Amino acid sequence: MEVREKILPVIDRELCVGCGTCVELCPTGAVELVDGFPVIVRPEDCVYCGECEDLCPLGAIGLPYEVVFGEAA
């Protein structure tokens, strides 16, 4: 079985103004402001729930995904 690196939300620092909404609303506390910008400081706690992406007022957070095709049955 192949081990994959955990996929985390991506924060666009060009769009982000550091309002802290994502920090306040992250249900696991995985995000904190560092030097005025949000950073996923505890990636092991991120459950990829989408709250940060849905609630960011500027759309600065995206949740990428990976499409994996299985073998034909």
Side-chain angles (χ1 to χ4, degrees), residues 47-65:
V47 294
Y48 216 71
C49 66
E51 291 292 316
C52 57
E53 180 183 51
D54 292 341
L55 300 172
C56 176
L58 296 172
I61 302 175
L63 274 67
Y65 59 92

Side-chain angles (χ1 to χ4, degrees), residues 3-73:
V3 177
R4 298 177 194 263
E5 185 176 321
K6 184 174 184 173
I7 298 173
L8 296 170
V10 175
I11 302 166
D12 185 337
R13 290 182 68 133
E14 296 293 319
L15 294 175
C16 178
V17 295
C19 70
T21 300
C22 55
V23 174
E24 293 173 25
L25 299 174
C26 178
T28 64
V31 185
E32 289 183 9
L33 287 182
V34 176
D35 296 328
F37 289 97
V39 175
I40 301 171
V41 294
R42 285 179 288 288
E44 67 279 2
D45 292 343
C46 178
V47 294
Y48 216 71
C49 66
E51 291 292 316
C52 57
E53 180 183 51
D54 292 341
L55 300 172
C56 176
L58 296 172
I61 302 175
L63 274 67
Y65 59 92
E66 178 181 2
V67 176
V68 178
F69 295 97
E71 293 182 28

